[in-house]
Amino acid sequence: MNGLTIRVENKTYQNTGTCTLKDIQLDVTPGEFVAIVGPSGAGKSTLLNMVAGLDKDFEGEITVDNAPLHVTQPLKQIGFMFQESRLMPWLTVLDNLLLVLGKEQEDKARELLRQVHLTDIENHFPGQLSGGMQRRVALARAFSVEPDLLLMDEPFMSLDAPTAEYLRGLLMDLWSETKPMVLFVTHYLREALALADRIVFLSESPAHVVLDMPVNLERPRSVEDVDVNKLHADLLHLNPHLLSGLVNGKQWNKASMTEAAS
Ligand code: ADP
């Protein structure tokens, strides 16, 4: 498998007539973890919805090995995780997983709950769990389908820092076992640096790619690592407006930014 190719010439919401994405070309190789970073309203969720097949109203194509993703379905499974855990509140934790896995897969569901350290609470309902625990169930559910591609839209938002760090560790453990391709949307640069093989920075809407950069830091990483701090500082020094999706004419130098990252 050669991986995923996203080519968006234009995405305009018909109801408002506003062009949201413009000339985006993004390739993801098998096993690659790609973070998409950009300012709020840039079009990150729009892009993810398009890759998920939830929004087909755009000019361009999304393919795997030249096969259109949502026509020929070349991938076995796509997994999702969103900002909210989106668990079924009337089902227990175990039943939330079995809803996706099928009733006969109890052993697999229990193994996933063990991997996210939730064995003791399989009979609890989502409403009885903390936000962090709910996210752990959602993470287990996202991996339960053994995805070839995992789409994550700010999945650790609004968690306290230690809980988010713990979840990032669980994500890395699960990801490194089966290595699905990941598109991980965040506006938190340190998180992207701590997780990803590559970071794609988007501009303000209409979004285009302002920088596509490898992250060659050793794993495991944490948002507080010295290396992560240094790269974070270097990137923002080279372009103080990077996170606003703006290109600072004077200091902007793609080559030096890519060099800083390697
Ligand atoms: P991000 O995830 O980067 O914060 P979004 O993809 O949610 O950005 O939104 C990008 C732009 O598209 C925003 O200007 C937003 O208002 C607009 N947008 C999002 N969804 C819709 C919609 N259903 N109809 C019209 N405009 C939308």
Side-chain angles (χ1 to χ4, degrees):
M1 190 168 74
N2 296 320
L4 175 75
T5 299
I6 300 166
R7 197 173 51 73
V8 182
E9 278 139 33
N10 186 313
K11 162 64 194 169
T12 296
Y13 282 106
Q14 301 302 336
N15 52 352
T16 57
T18 320
C19 176
T20 302
L21 303 172
K22 187 91 184 130
D23 295 330
I24 291 194
Q25 166 86 37
L26 184 58
D27 298 300
V28 185
T29 57
E32 196 173 29
F33 194 123
V34 176
I36 299 173
V37 174
S40 185
K44 303 183 294 298
S45 300
T46 301
L47 183 64
L48 228 53
N49 283 339
M50 286 157 50
V51 180
L54 301 171
D55 184 344
K56 296 182 177 160
D57 184 19
F58 64 94
E59 288 168 40
E61 54 176 5
I62 300 170
T63 55
V64 171
D65 299 343
N66 298 320
L69 184 53
H70 300 293
V71 180
T72 52
Q73 312 211 317
L75 295 179
K76 286 200 298 293
Q77 291 289 350
I78 301 179
F80 302 93
M81 188 170 168
F82 306 94
Q83 266 172 45
E84 324 80 47
S85 55
R86 300 195 189 179
L87 301 172
M88 301 297 158
W90 59 89
L91 294 178
T92 65
V93 164
L94 183 64
D95 285 339
N96 262 283
L97 291 194
L98 293 179
L99 187 66
V100 176
L101 279 168
K103 283 272 178 231
E104 67 291 353
Q105 299 237 53
E106 268 195 31
D107 287 351
K108 186 167 175 189
R110 291 211 165 87
E111 171 56 19
L112 278 156
L113 289 176
R114 190 193 61 72
Q115 287 179 291
V116 295
H117 309 299
L118 287 179
T119 303
D120 297 345
I121 56 103
E122 67 172 48
N123 291 319
H124 285 47
F125 290 90
Q128 297 173 288
L129 308 180
S130 68
M133 287 163 118
Q134 291 183 17
R135 246 52 93 85
R136 273 145 74 186
V137 180
L139 188 61
R141 182 181 56 183
F143 276 91
S144 69
V145 296
E146 295 179 9
D148 319 90
L149 172 64
L150 184 55
L151 304 175
M152 309 188 84
D153 195 353
E154 308 223 38
F156 308 139
M157 270 270 285
S158 61
L159 293 173
D160 60 77
T163 304
E165 184 70 6
Y166 181 60
L167 272 147
R168 283 191 286 271
L170 292 175
L171 166 61
M172 280 291 109
D173 291 346
L174 286 163
W175 174 71
S176 55
E177 267 184 27
T178 50
K179 286 274 184 95
M181 294 182 279
V182 180
L183 285 179
F184 186 102
V185 163
T186 181
H187 61 259
Y188 180 29
L189 177 55
R190 284 175 192 281
E191 178 169 64
L193 290 168
L195 292 173
D197 294 316
R198 234 173 87 209
I199 305 179
V200 173
F201 290 88
L202 296 184
S203 69
E204 299 182 290
S205 189
H208 56 272
V209 177
V210 289
L211 180 70
D212 186 337
M213 180 196 97
V215 182
N216 297 320
L217 302 177
E218 268 186 37
R219 291 193 170 97
R221 311 173 195 152
S222 135
V223 292
E224 295 300 340
D225 281 353
V226 175
D227 288 353
V228 168
N229 274 331
K230 182 172 183 315
L231 187 48
H232 186 269
D234 287 350
L235 286 169
L236 295 184
H237 176 71
L238 287 163
N239 183 359
H241 303 294
L242 185 60
L243 297 181
S244 315
L246 298 174
V247 176
N248 179 330
K250 258 195 178 159
Q251 298 184 44
W252 175 251
N253 180 330
K254 201 165 178 170
S256 61
M257 299 207 62
T258 308
E259 196 179 305
S262 55

